[in-house]
Amino acid sequence: MLTLAAEAGNPDRPFVFGSSSKITLAGSGVAFLGGSAANVDWWVARLVARNIGPDKVNHLRHARFLRDADGLAGHMRRHREIIAPKFAVVQRVLAEFADTPGCPGRTRPAGTSSR
């Protein structure tokens, strides 16, 4: 998104937020922010009035557990192994009802998986 915004001449439009809390232990993940250099500078300038959060031990646990981008990718692959069969069942059931009169239309998102 950041690259597309910059290419369109609007590098300061998007802020991208994320968190690892829902992929490990809810409420104890590490959050992150992405944006143009100007947006990140603006955001950091506003952090001076904040305090350190209470859950630094869980942040350390996440850093040690995930280690790096490869560790995160491996963890997400394991999530896919658990969740993909469940999504397949939902897709199969939805496909069975696709031609039912009065059934609303649907699409099948392609996602951005890096299998």
Side-chain angles (χ1 to χ4, degrees), residues 99-114:
D99 295 328
T100 303
C103 182
R106 67 183 183 96
T107 60
R108 184 172 180 167
T112 57
S113 174
S114 59

Side-chain angles (χ1 to χ4, degrees), residues 54-72:
D55 214 357
K56 295 303 174 200
V57 172
N58 271 328
H59 290 173
L60 178 60
R61 286 184 184 128
H62 276 78
R64 288 182 175 168
F65 174 70
L66 297 172
R67 286 178 281 177
D68 56 23
D70 290 336
L72 176 60

Side-chain angles (χ1 to χ4, degrees), residues 17-48:
F17 297 91
S19 169
S20 67
S21 71
K22 301 303 183 270
I23 61 173
T24 53
L25 179 63
S28 64
V30 177
F32 55 88
L33 161 80
S36 67
N39 282 351
V40 172
D41 289 345
W42 177 87
W43 186 267
V44 169
R46 274 130 192 94
L47 292 177
V48 296

